[in-house]
Amino acid sequence: MLSSKIKNIIKKKNKKKIVCLTAYSKNVAEILDNHCDIVLVGDSLGSVLYNYDTTRKVSLGTMIEHSKSVKKGIKKSLMVVDMPYHTYRNPKEALKNAKKIIYETGCDAVKLEGGNKIIKIIKHLIKNKVQVMGHIGLLPQSQKGKFRFKGKNETEKNKIINDAKILSSSGVFSIVLECVEKSLAKQITKLIKVPTIGIGASVYCDGQVLVTDDLLGLNSTNFRFVKKYVNLRRIIDQSARLFKQEVIKKSFPKIKNSY
Ligand code: KIV
């Protein structure tokens, strides 16, 4: 049985774009909740918050603690949590960990990276009433070496199309397409019945997702697919500098800031 929140996401296909952003804490989630259909607790928190060189180092415990914080900021949007690396190596392990995530965080769904290769695992979760978001194209948990876009040659294209079809008919409620070439993203979006959510996968997807720290300009990363809507790094820098000046000059705290 699909929840009404999930049905609403699926209904948007071919009608309205789906808006998704990442959050790792309550304050950010609270703001995003006013604007997003989906808030994703992505394992990108490994690189964004912990400076890990790979998302493989993110643990289940870390994902759960951040998700508990995010949940406190969410009223309306659908909350999805990434299952970290090595927490879904077989159907039994995946179900145990997905249930733990859902039970401890109160999220609506989990996201797993992979297509045909993990289809038995995904089907087992769905059969056991776990709502699943798919993720194909570039898979950070499996990627070795430099990130590059997917769909360059026929073999790669056919594999991604096949993954999308298999996932869609398995019952996932949406699929993230990461760094997928635009004509391929367009073709997949037309072909499958569930919404595609793109990151670096063109305007043709049914929705878009970005890492919030990237669009806020908090990261020094410079991916082609990211648009920085504000330079929060600069704003924080200016605020800290001003605070320092005022503390030194003793113009802060004022009477109104004191008891
Ligand atoms: O981990 C993450 O934030 C993600 C998004 C980039 C889709 O998987």
Side-chain angles (χ1 to χ4, degrees):
M1 249 291 273
L2 296 175
S3 70
S4 58
K5 272 187 183 178
I6 287 191
K7 280 186 193 155
N8 288 340
I9 299 285
I10 298 172
K11 269 195 230 153
K12 286 198 157 195
K13 186 162 177 105
N14 300 321
K15 291 190 187 83
K16 276 191 174 165
K17 291 284 183 186
I18 298 162
V19 179
C20 176
L21 284 170
T22 61
Y24 314 130
S25 65
K26 179 207 162 236
N27 288 350
V28 172
E30 210 163 45
I31 301 167
L32 301 185
D33 193 46
N34 293 318
H35 307 283
C36 292
D37 300 296
I38 304 173
V39 172
L40 170 69
V41 188
D43 63 355
S44 52
L45 63 78
S47 45
V48 175
L49 299 184
Y50 294 95
N51 205 27
Y52 296 157
D53 54 354
T54 161
T55 55
R56 288 187 178 199
K57 292 183 182 162
V58 176
S59 70
L60 186 63
T62 302
M63 287 306 292
I64 289 176
E65 286 313 306
H66 283 279
S67 303
K68 283 191 322 210
S69 172
V70 167
K71 177 68 182 173
K72 293 194 170 91
I74 292 197
K75 286 200 180 88
K76 313 191 284 262
S77 37
L78 186 87
M79 178 176 159
V80 181
V81 175
D82 261 342
M83 291 198 67
Y85 183 65
H86 270 188
T87 62
Y88 54 99
R89 285 170 291 187
N90 56 64
K92 199 173 159 208
E93 179 183 64
L95 185 60
K96 181 175 147 257
N97 289 324
K99 281 191 166 170
K100 186 174 166 71
I101 294 173
I102 294 166
Y103 179 73
E104 291 192 20
T105 72
C107 71
D108 300 290
V110 291
K111 175 164 81 59
L112 283 71
E113 291 184 12
N116 193 30
K117 210 170 155 190
I118 59 161
I119 202 64
K120 271 195 189 147
I121 295 167
I122 290 186
K123 282 184 176 168
H124 187 64
L125 293 182
I126 294 171
K127 197 175 101 192
N128 285 282
K129 300 185 175 55
V130 175
Q131 307 298 335
V132 178
M133 178 186 245
H135 183 153
I136 57 174
L138 192 143
L139 305 176
Q141 289 178 9
S142 324
Q143 183 73 20
K144 288 191 186 88
K146 231 181 139 202
F147 283 15
R148 60 166 196 83
F149 79 87
K150 301 287 175 187
K152 258 190 179 162
N153 55 53
E154 285 309 304
T155 321
E156 210 169 73
K157 273 187 191 166
N158 291 335
K159 183 191 173 303
I160 298 173
I161 293 171
N162 191 41
D163 281 343
K165 282 198 216 159
I166 285 173
L167 279 183
S168 177
S169 51
S170 75
V172 300
F173 71 90
S174 63
I175 304 176
V176 168
L177 298 185
E178 180 161 356
C179 292
V180 170
E181 188 274 325
K182 57 181 176 306
S183 66
L184 179 59
K186 188 176 182 181
Q187 189 184 349
I188 291 171
T189 303
K190 273 197 174 159
L191 201 66
I192 63 173
K193 62 179 193 303
V194 297
T196 58
I197 320 272
I199 174 160
S202 86
V203 73
Y204 298 116
C205 294
D206 297 302
Q208 298 293 328
V209 54
L210 277 182
V211 168
T212 301
D213 289 57
D214 288 345
L215 77 89
L216 296 179
L218 270 170
N219 272 337
S220 45
T221 48
N222 209 9
F223 295 116
R224 178 191 171 103
F225 59 81
V226 171
K227 177 172 173 186
K228 294 195 178 180
Y229 287 82
V230 63
N231 191 337
L232 215 49
R233 243 186 133 83
R234 195 186 308 139
I235 293 173
I236 295 173
D237 183 68
Q238 284 163 352
S239 307
R241 181 176 304 129
L242 205 57
F243 174 70
K244 180 181 171 185
Q245 283 168 4
E246 292 191 359
V247 169
I248 291 169
K249 280 193 314 200
K250 297 186 199 149
S251 62
F252 178 86
K254 297 210 178 346
I255 295 291
K256 67 174 179 188
N257 307 118
S258 310
Y259 294 103

